[in-house]
Amino acid sequence: MKNFDKGTVVRTVLLLIALVNQTLIMFGKTVLPISEDQVNTLADALYLAGSTVFTIATSLVAWYKNNYVTDKGKLQKEVLQQKGLTK
């Protein structure tokens, strides 16, 4: 198994949690064991909004960190290509 840096592992785990949570919401399931009687419409909307923001944020961070979009990243890609370390 390859050694992954801590940031990659954290971003991957958070992204997986966000995607699983969003999928559960799409199918009408909640991660927290809260009955329908305990939750009002505003709380449902806040939970959905918060979950969506979490999914979008973790997706963007994972995309940004794992792609060569910054000037430093572009230089890194250039060096990797010169050394024959990219596909």
Side-chain angles (χ1 to χ4, degrees), residues 13-79:
V13 169
L14 286 176
L15 181 58
L16 289 174
I17 290 170
L19 292 174
V20 167
N21 184 53
Q22 200 65 32
T23 302
L24 289 171
I25 288 172
M26 286 173 28
F27 289 104
K29 306 293 181 189
T30 58
V31 179
L32 301 174
I34 299 173
S35 71
E36 289 296 323
D37 296 334
Q38 296 172 319
V39 180
N40 61 30
T41 305
L42 179 58
D44 284 341
L46 289 175
Y47 178 73
L48 180 60
S51 178
T52 302
V53 168
F54 177 68
T55 301
I56 291 169
T58 56
S59 298
L60 289 174
V61 169
W63 171 81
Y64 182 79
K65 290 285 188 173
N66 293 323
N67 290 297
Y68 303 106
V69 294
T70 63
D71 290 336
K72 181 179 177 183
K74 291 174 187 174
L75 290 173
Q76 289 172 337
K77 183 178 180 180
E78 217 174 274
V79 170

